[in-house]
Amino acid sequence: MSNIIKMLKLDFSLIKPYTKTLLIVFLFPLIVSVKEFSYGFVLYMSIMAMTSNYTFSVAEKNDLNRLYGLLPVKKEDIVNGRYLFTALTGVLLAISFAILNIIIMFFAKMSFSLEDLIVSLSVGLGMYMFFTAIQLPGFFKFGAIKGRFVAFIPFIGVFLAGVIAQKINPESLNKLDNIAVLNNPYSFLAISILISIVFYCISIGISQRILNKMEF
Amino acid sequence: MSDAIVINGLCKKFDTFELDNISFSLPEGYIMGLIGPNGAGKTTTIKLMLNMLKKSAGDIKILGMDSVEDQNKIKENLGAVFDSNYFVQDWTVKQVEKSIGIFYSNWNSEQFHEMLKKYKLDPNKKVKELSRGMQMKLMLACAFSHNAKLLILDEPTSGLDPVARDELLDIISEYIQDGKRSVLFSTHITSDLDKIADYITFINNGKVFYTGQKDDFIEGFRLVRGGSNELNREMERKLLGVRKYSTGFEGLIRTEDINYFNKLNIDPVSIDDIIIYTSKGDINNE
């Protein structure tokens, strides 16, 4: 078993004792946002990105740096494991959300299209990956408690993007509709995954540098 | 006989403290006490050995391997006990094994459960529900379950009651029985070392004051007592530390300097005496 997988398992062990609390944290926004699939999903994934400091918080509360210092793993493995854990959590949350929505829509006899599902998945998951890619280096640098402000940075970024978008000529924005790749849900999903991978690679590089410089 | 630990010219600079040219070695199969007052550099030395801090200079070889290059191989063969446990408080003892065991290729689950039975640790109890002594035993059970060849203990007995301390010392003595395992034991409770240590390394103000066999350490110093008018300048120069009273003085000397004080009362010293006098230098109680 590779050290990254071991670290991933350790991260799941960190949150295991708090599963019940986390289920409430995960389910409440799910129920709130379930009425409107597309917007609800993006909202849900954005809220879920706010929980990415949970493992850092448990590690900090229990002073686990001493444990990390004792385990036969490199600091890079700790970083990679944490990113894998965060990404996997995002994928699992997205799948749970999609399944739950499909079930609700089926029983409510509401119609939905696969294209809608894929586009929502692409935006929601892409948003989650983008948010966490910005947050994680901050948590590695400042820890979960001091680094709480980092969790809000992506939201400020999105808000600013919205403000800027309002000032852009609507005709220019309409031109986006003409980009063929954005109109195809499958290529949209592929682009979303690709951009997420690029963000994560940059973010992992920064976090590895931070942790390598850190002494504990 | 090979060495479990070899440290040469180890330096670490901080803004307000410097670990300066630390060198010592521990032969395989023995227990070394790492002693010194608070802030002397004991924990810094241990953290450098575990590669938790980056050294400024020097070499650290553990079990014949470089502490930086071969850190994963070293850590596979190393166990550690700190003054407080390093597991998630809400983990059960069983979860500790599940979470930690996967990191060691030679983890022996049977051995772990035997240890739990021996130490009367309930697998379903949470770490936070265990007493300090039991938490210590859990850390030891983990170290023994991956057959650690070197055990590093950093102030393990602080906060333990005398019974738990005695139990811990028995466990450590038993651990080195096969002659292939070694222990580095950092403490300022020196009575523990009287019982089990073979070697002593005494660090003071970031420098090694003494490293070698425990008996030589204790035999190497004497406590001298005399009246206030019995202390001349030559004698004062030979005192490593002195406590002055209105009626006289009490000071630490090297055994080799005993001839300078042969008209005075000279007594054997304890490890505590050596630490106190060398750390404080002149103590005036007038």
Side-chain angles (χ1 to χ4, degrees):
Chain A
M1 197 192 307
S2 91
N3 284 342
I4 300 171
I5 303 294
K6 288 175 190 171
M7 286 311 300
L8 172 74
K9 283 191 167 187
L10 182 63
D11 275 355
F12 275 112
S13 303
L14 294 191
I15 60 159
K16 202 179 171 189
Y18 314 105
T19 316
K20 282 178 194 165
T21 320
L22 279 172
L23 273 178
I24 297 165
V25 173
F26 290 158
L27 283 177
F28 184 69
L30 188 71
I31 293 160
V32 171
S33 53
V34 86
K35 288 177 197 165
E36 177 53 67
F37 185 78
S38 306
Y39 296 117
F41 186 63
V42 175
L43 175 73
Y44 177 69
M45 291 308 283
S46 306
I47 295 169
M48 287 304 102
M50 295 295 285
T51 64
S52 68
N53 71 342
Y54 211 83
T55 40
F56 290 89
S57 175
V58 175
E60 202 169 311
K61 187 181 146 200
N62 293 279
D63 198 7
L64 292 191
N65 277 346
R66 293 174 307 161
L67 175 65
Y68 293 144
L70 278 179
L71 294 174
V73 292
K74 288 184 178 165
K75 284 180 177 172
E76 285 83 356
D77 300 325
I78 299 173
V79 172
N80 295 342
R82 185 63 50 89
Y83 273 84
L84 188 58
F85 171 81
T86 310
L88 212 59
T89 310
V91 171
L92 288 174
L93 289 170
I95 292 170
S96 326
F97 186 90
I99 291 172
L100 197 71
N101 267 278
I102 291 167
I103 293 169
I104 289 169
M105 283 176 179
F106 177 78
F107 283 109
K109 291 181 180 161
M110 289 159 74
S111 63
F112 69 96
S113 71
L114 188 65
E115 280 76 17
D116 276 354
L117 182 76
I118 290 169
V119 170
S120 304
L121 212 66
S122 310
V123 177
L125 205 56
M127 198 87 139
Y128 174 87
M129 298 293 270
F130 169 69
F131 277 27
T132 51
I134 292 173
Q135 290 169 337
L136 292 186
F139 294 141
F140 275 111
K141 175 81 181 168
F142 302 108
I145 298 166
K146 281 187 192 167
R148 266 178 301 194
F149 71 93
V150 178
F152 296 98
I153 291 175
F155 286 94
I156 297 166
V158 169
F159 173 74
L160 289 176
V163 171
I164 293 164
Q166 276 182 336
K167 290 182 180 171
I168 296 173
N169 185 356
E171 281 179 19
S172 316
L173 287 174
N174 285 340
K175 282 178 190 170
L176 288 173
D177 287 344
N178 301 328
I179 302 171
V181 80
L182 295 179
N183 289 321
N184 181 327
Y186 298 102
S187 32
F188 190 66
L189 177 67
I191 285 178
S192 168
I193 292 170
L194 200 71
I195 292 172
S196 299
I197 290 171
V198 171
F199 274 133
Y200 256 45
C201 286
I202 297 167
S203 182
I204 287 170
I206 296 168
S207 294
Q208 283 184 349
R209 275 187 151 197
I210 290 168
L211 206 66
N212 272 326
K213 279 186 187 170
M214 208 172 264
E215 295 187 316
F216 43 75
Chain B
M1 183 169 57
S2 58
D3 288 323
I5 302 171
V6 181
I7 296 184
N8 264 321
L10 180 64
C11 299
K12 174 70 184 172
K13 283 181 186 169
F14 295 102
D15 292 340
T16 52
F17 174 74
E18 187 179 350
L19 201 65
D20 184 21
N21 199 22
I22 301 287
S23 300
F24 64 85
S25 60
L26 169 64
E28 194 179 86
Y30 290 95
I31 300 172
M32 174 181 273
L34 186 62
I35 56 168
N38 288 336
K42 303 186 296 287
T43 300
T44 303
T45 306
I46 286 175
K47 284 187 168 181
L48 286 162
M49 289 171 66
L50 295 171
N51 209 21
M52 292 160 104
L53 293 176
K54 286 175 187 165
K55 60 192 179 192
S56 307
D59 289 313
I60 304 172
K61 290 243 185 296
I62 295 172
L63 304 169
M65 295 176 273
D66 184 83
S67 69
V68 179
E69 297 293 315
D70 306 309
Q71 66 154 322
N72 283 3
K73 277 185 201 164
I74 291 172
K75 286 174 183 175
E76 278 263 2
N77 291 291
L78 185 144
V81 174
F82 295 127
D83 56 344
S84 59
N85 93 88
Y86 41 75
F87 304 122
V88 175
Q89 296 290 317
D90 285 302
W91 277 349
T92 59
V93 170
K94 224 177 352 188
Q95 272 177 318
V96 169
E97 193 207 2
K98 263 190 172 181
S99 310
I100 305 302
I102 52 168
F103 287 91
Y104 299 94
S105 54
N106 51 352
W107 182 270
N108 186 338
S109 191
E110 257 177 49
Q111 169 93 353
F112 181 76
H113 287 278
E114 261 176 44
M115 289 287 164
L116 297 190
K117 267 187 200 163
K118 191 175 172 185
Y119 298 156
K120 297 186 177 76
L121 281 161
D122 180 353
N124 297 312
K125 255 198 172 175
K126 284 187 175 179
V127 172
K128 66 181 175 190
E129 292 165 355
L130 301 173
S131 67
R132 279 179 67 92
M134 292 305 239
Q135 288 184 359
M136 202 71 64
K137 286 176 181 171
L138 179 59
M139 287 188 269
L140 287 167
C142 286
F144 298 157
S145 300
H146 67 269
N147 196 18
K149 302 277 188 302
L150 173 67
L151 194 58
I152 294 179
L153 306 133
D154 189 11
E155 306 281 2
T157 48
S158 60
L160 289 187
D161 65 59
V163 178
R165 267 171 54 199
D166 199 58
E167 265 184 292
L168 177 72
L169 300 182
D170 284 344
I171 292 166
I172 294 167
S173 301
E174 197 186 318
Y175 168 73
I176 59 150
Q177 286 299 310
D178 69 353
K180 288 180 179 168
R181 296 167 179 173
S182 320
V183 177
L184 180 71
F185 188 145
S186 150
T187 184
H188 51 243
I189 304 173
T190 53
S191 56
D192 296 341
L193 299 178
D194 282 332
K195 287 182 190 166
I196 59 162
D198 306 296
Y199 290 83
I200 294 277
T201 293
F202 174 25
I203 299 178
N204 195 12
N205 282 327
K207 290 183 176 132
V208 172
F209 181 82
Y210 174 88
T211 184
Q213 293 196 12
K214 180 185 74 182
D215 296 340
D216 292 346
F217 181 59
I218 297 168
E219 282 304 309
F221 300 92
R222 287 287 183 271
L223 203 61
V224 59
R225 290 186 185 91
S228 50
N229 55 353
E230 287 178 294
L231 189 65
N232 61 40
R233 280 193 177 176
E234 196 177 14
M235 284 177 179
E236 261 189 273
R237 274 203 300 273
K238 296 291 174 188
L239 288 170
L240 300 167
V242 63
R243 181 176 277 168
K244 287 177 182 168
Y245 304 97
S246 54
T247 52
F249 76 97
E250 207 176 65
L252 184 79
I253 58 165
R254 288 190 192 277
T255 308
E256 64 203 45
D257 294 329
I258 213 163
N259 291 334
Y260 293 92
F261 302 88
N262 50 17
K263 287 178 185 165
L264 304 177
N265 286 332
I266 295 168
D267 294 313
V269 290
S270 65
I271 298 173
D272 269 348
D273 291 330
I274 303 170
I275 294 177
I276 292 166
Y277 280 99
T278 52
S279 304
K280 290 194 173 175
D282 286 347
I283 308 163
N284 204 329
N285 287 339
E286 275 182 289

